[in-house]
Amino acid sequence: MKHEMEIITNAVQIIRKRTDFEPEIGLILGSGLGDYADQIENPVVIPYRDLPDFPVSTVAGHTGQFVIGMCRGRHVIAMQGRVHYYEGYSQKMITLPVRIMKRLGVQKMVLTNACGGVNQEFEPGTLMMIRGHINYSGSNPLLGENFEEDGPRFPDVSQIYKKEYRDSLRAAAAAKGIHLEEGVYMMFSGPSYETPEEVRMARILGADAVGMSTVPEAIVCAHCGIPVLGISCITNFGAGILDQPLNHEEVVETAARVKKVFVEVLNTALTEVL
Ligand code: HPA
């Protein structure tokens, strides 16, 4: 395995050979939202497989590529498909894209995901701005050697999800009649869904939603000094809330149903918030 910094440097070099476009905003698109990147004008598309030793997603529905270009008048780079911790990579590996985006010019990050609802008032289909997270994944993307040029050994993570972004998006969405909740996202490693007992524990600990992504990327954004707007799509009631088993199909169905509103929220974020 190559040293992670070599993977970053090679990726930046390859991307820079194909475009000198400087993205300002990074978008990491979660389950069901990947085709948001299809809106990007005159896109430069870079499949992850073109980048040596770059972690590649194994999950169906997660196309793996960077898409770079203009979106709603903003300079963006989107990750169409992300790699998850549960695929077996270290959190350090799955967050290399954030460090690559930073080197390409990214100064603000939008993280999206599909997740399970823990707060019983959040119906499936609810969009939730992330106010904070609980890292219950059992790992941390900053374990091991510190990337000194990105940030300190012991970074502050108390203000990852920028309050100004949330306040501004809440107001902009309300003006358009879009319902947005706000809450705490708790990461479990997955890939099994939580047990009803774990969902109950998550609620007692202060979580509103549970999911298997986003937290590693958010921590690395904090390390790199990149403020985050995090938006979760609650696709199902967390395990045990209803007396029925969870399944991936429900997650995919809800994500598809909510996609139009999610796209509108992202467009609003690009034009009025970030
Ligand atoms: N738990 C964890 N991850 C998820 C869920 C869930 O209930 N739904 C979608 N992603």
Side-chain angles (χ1 to χ4, degrees):
M1 173 64 71
K2 274 201 200 105
H3 188 270
E4 285 92 356
M5 189 48 76
E6 208 179 324
I7 302 176
I8 295 173
T9 314
N10 286 337
V12 170
Q13 210 172 48
I14 289 168
I15 296 169
R16 274 287 162 252
K17 266 191 211 145
R18 298 200 198 168
T19 177
D20 55 9
F21 189 91
E22 282 226 358
E24 180 199 5
I25 301 172
L27 302 167
I28 300 187
L29 303 168
S31 304
L33 251 193
D35 50 9
Y36 184 77
D38 297 342
Q39 289 192 50
I40 295 174
E41 297 152 36
N42 304 317
V44 176
V45 176
I46 303 185
Y48 302 152
R49 71 179 119 77
D50 292 1
L51 308 173
D53 296 302
F54 192 88
V56 183
S57 173
T58 56
V59 188
H62 286 264
T63 344
Q65 53 192 23
F66 284 115
V67 184
I68 307 172
M70 297 298 289
C71 190
R72 303 276 146 173
R74 306 301 296 271
H75 293 65
V76 307
I77 176 167
M79 275 191 91
Q80 202 166 27
R82 64 145 66 84
V83 180
H84 293 83
Y85 181 49
Y86 60 70
E87 294 177 71
Y89 297 103
S90 69
Q91 294 192 6
K92 198 171 206 126
M93 278 297 285
I94 61 167
T95 52
L96 294 182
V98 173
R99 301 190 188 280
I100 291 166
M101 288 194 249
K102 180 199 162 169
R103 283 161 178 76
L104 296 172
V106 165
Q107 293 167 36
K108 305 164 180 186
M109 188 70 73
V110 182
L111 302 177
T112 69
N113 63 55
C115 63
V118 168
N119 183 327
Q120 281 145 304
E121 291 176 9
F122 294 177
E123 299 269 330
T126 301
L127 293 179
M128 182 190 90
M129 294 187 290
I130 303 176
R131 180 172 62 239
H133 74 229
I134 300 172
N135 181 8
Y136 194 71
S137 67
S139 189
N140 189 295
L142 307 182
L143 287 181
E145 189 191 346
N146 185 46
F147 295 114
E148 284 296 327
E149 58 182 283
D150 284 346
R153 172 78 289 189
F154 303 108
D156 175 54
V157 285
S158 65
Q159 301 181 352
I160 298 179
Y161 306 91
K162 196 174 162 96
K163 182 170 186 303
E164 286 77 7
Y165 292 166
R166 281 181 279 127
D167 290 346
S168 153
L169 184 59
R170 188 184 308 107
K176 296 183 177 176
I178 299 171
H179 177 74
L180 275 186
E181 294 287 353
E182 191 169 323
V184 175
Y185 177 94
M186 183 165 177
M187 180 184 173
F188 284 70
S189 73
S192 53
Y193 287 117
E194 299 72 29
T195 61
E197 293 74 17
E198 286 162 347
V199 168
R200 184 165 168 270
M201 174 190 75
R203 187 177 309 118
I204 292 168
L205 294 180
D208 295 293
V210 285
M212 308 175 192
S213 68
T214 304
V215 165
E217 292 102 326
I219 292 172
V220 171
C221 284
H223 187 241
C224 292
I226 299 173
V228 174
L229 172 65
I231 309 173
S232 293
C233 173
I234 294 176
T235 52
N236 54 282
F237 282 113
I241 294 180
L242 304 179
D243 189 20
Q244 63 185 46
L246 297 194
N247 64 76
H248 181 62
E249 287 66 40
E250 181 189 4
V251 170
V252 173
E253 268 170 38
T254 311
R257 171 163 67 79
V258 178
K259 194 166 85 184
K260 225 176 116 195
V261 185
F262 211 149
V263 165
E264 206 181 338
V265 169
L266 285 181
N267 287 340
T268 306
L270 288 182
T271 51
E272 298 179 49
V273 175
L274 297 167

